[in-house]
Amino acid sequence: MNNQSISVTAVINRQAASLRSTHTMTMISLLAAVSFVLSFLEFPVPLSPSFARMDLSDFPALVGAMTMGPWAGVLVELVKNLLGLLSTSTGGVGELANFLMGGAMVYLAGMIYYKNHRPAWLACLTGAIGMAVMAAVTNYFILLPLFETFMPLDALIASFAEFIPFIHTKLDVVLWNAIPFNLLKGLGIALVTLVVYPKLTPVLRGTNKGR
């Protein structure tokens, strides 16, 4: 009788784990789809040339990381950028840079909040800083070299200097444009997430209770 009870319990636990896994993957797919749609709603970066654009497509990924764990957020970013390859104009380079920046933000936030149970505001702030740091790396080594394929470096730097006069080098573009505005973007996404994610937690986790 005891063995039967243990066997039944094990079956129930396996079924429950399977359902949770299915629900999680469904929610990740849904968040990735929303993120992909948001990636088309671009707006100009302040004090930047017209080709510099921003969007809020990392918001669903951050929500996923906060409610289902850091790798859920990274998966949302991955799927969004894989979908972006279908209509890319950068040969996948822009999608790679976007994945690295967004992935850094959501992974850090998810690790701090979901895994280590630290305050949500601290997780989001750290994620925004992580995005800014990764933006420095990706802009210097990936995005700016990409822009150089259709615009000489001097002209590229001059296009930024029109808005920020003390920009004279590629490093200046990173320090005075890429870092501050990606930090601002990260903080904006973080603020929206802090307001919205508690309401979405029960739905995304498949429960009637938040964290």
Side-chain angles (χ1 to χ4, degrees):
M1 188 68 174
N2 240 353
N3 289 337
Q4 287 180 340
S5 297
I6 293 173
S7 178
V8 170
T9 301
V11 170
I12 292 173
N13 287 339
R14 282 198 300 271
Q15 290 177 338
S18 177
L19 287 172
R20 283 196 297 271
S21 178
T22 301
H23 179 82
T24 298
M25 293 310 298
T26 301
M27 292 300 101
I28 288 173
S29 300
L30 179 61
L31 288 173
V34 173
S35 186
F36 178 61
V37 171
L38 287 177
S39 69
F40 289 97
L41 304 178
E42 297 180 324
F43 52 92
V45 177
L47 301 178
S48 300
S50 59
F51 58 79
R53 313 287 291 179
M54 293 175 62
D55 61 64
L56 299 179
S57 63
D58 299 309
F59 160 62
L62 184 56
V63 171
M66 300 281 282
T67 56
M68 295 179 288
W71 288 111
V74 172
L75 275 175
V76 172
E77 289 284 351
L78 178 61
V79 174
K80 174 194 75 175
N81 283 288
L82 288 175
L83 290 172
L85 291 175
L86 299 174
S87 58
T88 184
S89 60
T90 66
V93 177
E95 285 71 25
L96 173 61
N98 185 274
F99 172 71
L100 292 174
M101 288 187 284
M105 179 182 194
V106 303
Y107 182 78
L108 286 172
M111 284 297 295
I112 292 171
Y113 178 75
Y114 189 88
K115 289 291 187 182
N116 295 307
H117 310 295
R118 307 294 292 176
W121 67 266
L122 177 62
C124 287
L125 176 61
T126 304
I129 294 172
M131 171 179 271
V133 171
M134 186 58 74
V137 175
T138 55
N139 272 271
Y140 194 86
F141 292 105
I142 299 177
L143 291 178
L144 290 176
L146 172 66
F147 291 142
E148 286 180 56
T149 61
F150 63 85
M151 181 183 294
L153 179 59
D154 289 344
L156 180 64
I157 293 171
S159 68
F160 283 93
E162 288 180 14
F163 301 93
I164 305 176
F166 46 85
I167 289 180
H168 303 293
T169 66
K170 186 162 75 170
L171 182 60
D172 288 341
V173 174
V174 171
L175 292 176
W176 302 110
N177 184 278
I179 291 178
F181 287 112
N182 276 280
L183 179 60
L184 182 64
K185 172 186 174 180
L187 291 174
I189 292 171
L191 182 61
V192 174
T193 301
L194 288 172
V195 173
V196 172
Y197 92 92
K199 300 176 178 63
L200 297 179
T201 297
V203 177
L204 295 175
R205 290 187 180 170
T207 66
N208 291 320
K209 295 180 180 180
R211 182 171 179 270

